[in-house]
Amino acid sequence: MSNILIINGHQYYPFSEGKLNATLVDEAVSLLTQKGHETRVVTMQDEINVEQELENHQWADVVIFQSPINWMGVTWSFKKYMDEVYTAGMGGALCNGDGRTADEPKKHYGRGGTLSGTKYMMSVTFNAPEEAFNDPSEFFNGKSVDDLLFPMHMNFKFFDMHALPTFACFDVMKNANVENDLERFKAHLNDHF
């Protein structure tokens, strides 16, 4: 079975306590553990030990990134986590620099990743309704969830990680359907693990 690192990127706000993201993490741990996978969970409320987080990424066969999308990106605490942990990993733990060499300084940018064979899955929650995506007449101008998450996908490609399909919950603040979201999430996990 696989080693699965789950990172809960939720940042607490009085209007957004993180219950749905925590529930999705708990559901993933429960379902994946029942299937025989080993899991580790990190939250942004934890005291982050950079060396331990680098070891967690090296240990993992799959990393699940669970995060709300705030202002079109992940939370500031999750971004801080990435800035600290991923920058520290550039010395070989996650990648060997940016992949370029002195002999070819203009080629192979982003090809220094050392997590070849590691997969990742983005699981995100949105206040936006699903209908705001993939429709040229709506806010995102026809762009998909993965188009919006492009910078995150590039972060993980930089480490030579490979994407599993993204999971998303929509309209979670104004028209939440948590029961349906949980059923869809379980089906998504069952399809890919």
Side-chain angles (χ1 to χ4, degrees):
M1 290 284 116
S2 299
N3 295 332
I4 302 174
L5 173 63
I6 304 171
I7 302 175
N8 183 347
H10 185 267
Q11 171 63 44
Y12 175 85
Y13 291 103
F15 61 87
S16 178
E17 298 177 11
K19 292 178 184 175
L20 177 56
N21 283 275
T23 300
L24 291 166
V25 168
D26 291 345
E27 188 64 46
V29 169
S30 176
L31 189 145
L32 295 169
T33 301
Q34 288 173 13
K35 289 180 165 243
H37 300 286
E38 294 289 325
T39 60
R40 294 180 185 176
V41 176
V42 176
T43 73
M44 296 306 98
Q45 285 68 50
D46 296 336
E47 185 174 327
I48 301 301
N49 176 305
V50 171
E51 290 304 315
Q52 179 60 52
E53 294 312 305
L54 293 173
E55 192 278 325
N56 282 341
H57 279 75
Q58 292 171 325
W59 166 84
D61 299 304
V62 180
V63 182
I64 298 175
F65 300 94
Q66 178 64 54
S67 183
I69 299 301
N70 292 355
W71 296 110
M72 311 312 152
V74 296
T75 61
W76 68 265
S77 55
F78 193 6
K79 181 69 169 84
K80 180 177 185 277
Y81 173 96
M82 290 189 299
D83 285 347
E84 292 178 356
V85 174
Y86 295 171
T87 299
M90 290 189 70
L94 306 180
C95 63
N96 290 310
D98 67 13
R100 295 180 288 176
T101 65
D103 294 338
E104 294 187 288
K106 302 290 185 187
K107 293 185 177 182
H108 309 297
Y109 177 81
R111 304 288 188 212
T114 58
L115 296 183
S116 302
T118 303
K119 296 177 183 174
Y120 73 93
M121 186 184 94
M122 293 292 302
S123 176
V124 293
T125 59
F126 287 99
N127 179 47
E130 185 173 9
E131 292 78 7
F133 295 93
N134 304 308
D135 182 341
S137 68
E138 287 293 334
F139 179 77
F140 292 105
N141 300 324
K143 301 290 191 274
S144 70
V145 167
D146 285 311
D147 291 332
L148 183 64
L149 297 174
F150 181 77
M152 293 296 293
H153 287 297
M154 290 300 96
N155 287 335
F156 309 131
K157 183 178 180 180
F158 200 82
F159 303 137
D160 200 24
M161 297 169 74
H162 301 279
L164 293 169
T166 299
F167 178 82
C169 298
F170 300 97
D171 216 356
V172 300
M173 296 181 79
K174 294 187 177 176
N175 294 297
N177 188 344
V178 175
E179 186 175 312
N180 182 57
D181 286 340
L182 289 175
E183 288 305 311
R184 289 187 314 104
F185 187 60
K186 285 190 266 189
H188 188 86
L189 292 175
N190 280 320
D191 284 346
H192 301 290
F193 293 92

